Amino acid sequence: QVQLVESGGGLVQPGGSLRLSCAASGSGFSINAMGWYRQAPGKQRELVAAITSGGSTTYADNVKGRFTISRDNAKNTVYLQMSSLKPEDTAVYYCARGNFIATMTTSGQGTQVTVSS
């Protein structure tokens, strides 16, 4: 059974940085697309960033230039480096995995990111 465990969230001031990590269990990590979704209170879940098995990346327009997704296949881990954080980035962030970006699903508890002064 595939498990995704997110970590790295917390409280940060506007303009600050955080790095989220997602450790994946099970086989096939290196051939999977990986990504991050987020959901703020009262809002729909949105795809923040994704990375294919080949390393191609895609970002939501509202995080381009501020967030960077990367993966370490040797550690079965995907990261989300977040910089220049804004209050509107406050949300629960969920890691996702799938054969393709379009078929990614989440399975973890998520990690809370709160951007506030």
Side-chain angles (χ1 to χ4, degrees), residues 20-98:
L20 306 183
S21 299
C22 170
S25 65
S27 61
F29 177 86
S30 64
I31 63 172
N32 285 160
M34 299 294 299
W36 290 91
Y37 285 85
R38 70 184 179 187
Q39 187 163 21
K43 295 188 177 181
Q44 288 190 330
R45 184 174 292 194
E46 67 170 336
L47 178 63
V48 175
I51 183 167
T52 67
S53 59
S56 296
T57 58
T58 185
Y59 298 92
D61 287 343
N62 54 8
V63 306
K64 281 180 181 176
R66 300 188 298 121
F67 290 11
T68 303
I69 189 170
S70 61
R71 63 192 298 160
D72 185 337
N73 291 337
K75 296 181 178 179
N76 279 15
T77 301
V78 64
Y79 305 97
L80 184 68
Q81 178 67 48
M82 306 185 294
S83 303
S84 301
L85 283 162
K86 304 175 181 181
E88 51 263 43
D89 294 318
T90 296
V92 179
Y93 285 70
Y94 299 90
C95 182
R97 176 178 182 173

Side-chain angles (χ1 to χ4, degrees), residues 6 13-14 18 46 54 63 71 115-116:
E6 303 97 339
Q13 292 187 340
L18 279 176
E46 67 170 336
V63 306
R71 63 192 298 160
V115 185
S116 175

